[in-house]
Amino acid sequence: AEGSLVRSFVRRTTFKLPHDPSTPVIMIGAGTGFAPLRGMCMDLDTRRRAGAALGENMLFFGCRRQGEDFMYADEMEGWVQARTLRHLFLAFSRDPDTFTGKVYVQHKLNDNASRVLDLLEGGAYIYVCGATSMAREIKKALIASLVFLRGLKGGKAEEYVEQLHKEGRYHQDVWST
């Protein structure tokens, strides 16, 4: 009602694109976690239209049902066609794959782990946004990829991810569900 008190807070975000638009960006989000990533894609697209040479940007996006929840399909496909995004990987958890059942973004990350690791080794930034449980699974998938594809053992894979955090190249915006 008019005159009612509404409490809120403003939180600073760590979701800022690298200054150099040619730096590759890996974005991973599910459901409403796409909101900040959408803003980043829009920013990248604006940079591209202004003549900037973009890096190899990729988006891993997941939602429950393609037919009901995939509201930004046209926008995402437009970014791929314009080369704002070089790769778009989609996971629809309630539209089960014939062979594997539910498909989540971490499965798509596993499927593309070699390219993701190549980009990270080349200086890419990674942004994860969504439920805490999803972010935890993404981190596990990344660590497993470092172990199996790069041979990092004895805690070295975890140290690699921690170093990405320290360098400001691994960002998470997560919440409990």
Side-chain angles (χ1 to χ4, degrees):
E2 189 174 325
S4 296
L5 178 66
V6 176
R7 297 186 189 277
S8 66
F9 70 95
V10 177
R11 182 173 53 124
R12 291 193 184 271
T13 182
T14 61
F15 273 43
K16 293 181 173 41
L17 288 168
H19 180 70
D20 181 356
S22 68
T23 301
V25 175
I26 302 161
M27 296 169 279
I28 305 169
T32 57
F34 177 60
L37 303 179
R38 181 177 181 232
M40 294 173 83
C41 288
M42 289 175 169
D43 190 332
L44 288 166
D45 197 53
T46 298
R47 292 178 184 196
R48 179 197 56 79
R49 285 185 276 112
L54 299 182
E56 187 176 337
N57 302 316
M58 59 176 59
L59 172 63
F60 293 84
F61 172 75
C63 61
R64 291 182 179 197
R65 292 178 185 82
Q66 184 174 10
E68 296 173 26
D69 305 319
F70 193 29
M71 296 178 277
Y72 299 103
D74 293 340
E75 196 168 27
M76 289 180 193
E77 284 300 325
W79 291 325
V80 171
Q81 289 181 6
R83 305 286 288 169
T84 298
L85 293 174
R86 298 268 185 89
H87 309 282
L88 174 61
F89 304 107
L90 303 171
F92 304 105
S93 64
R94 300 305 185 270
D95 293 340
D97 181 273
T98 306
F99 301 106
T100 61
K102 291 182 179 179
V103 178
Y104 294 103
V105 287
Q106 61 267 26
H107 299 129
K108 295 298 182 172
L109 180 64
N110 285 334
D111 293 345
N112 297 281
S114 182
R115 187 69 201 132
V116 168
L117 294 181
D118 287 347
L119 289 175
L120 287 172
E121 290 164 355
Y125 283 52
I126 186 167
Y127 300 87
V128 181
C129 191
T132 305
S133 57
M134 180 271 303
R136 189 177 316 114
E137 293 302 317
I138 291 297
K139 193 171 186 178
K140 281 186 201 174
L142 185 57
I143 289 169
S145 298
L146 288 161
V147 170
F148 294 115
L149 297 175
R150 297 299 193 261
L152 298 182
K153 294 184 170 93
K156 297 291 184 194
E158 292 86 349
E159 289 173 19
Y160 182 93
V161 174
E162 184 57 34
Q163 186 60 36
L164 291 174
H165 278 285
K166 288 178 183 173
E167 292 173 7
R169 296 194 301 126
Y170 192 109
H171 299 271
Q172 294 185 111
D173 187 358
V174 299
W175 54 87
S176 297
T177 55

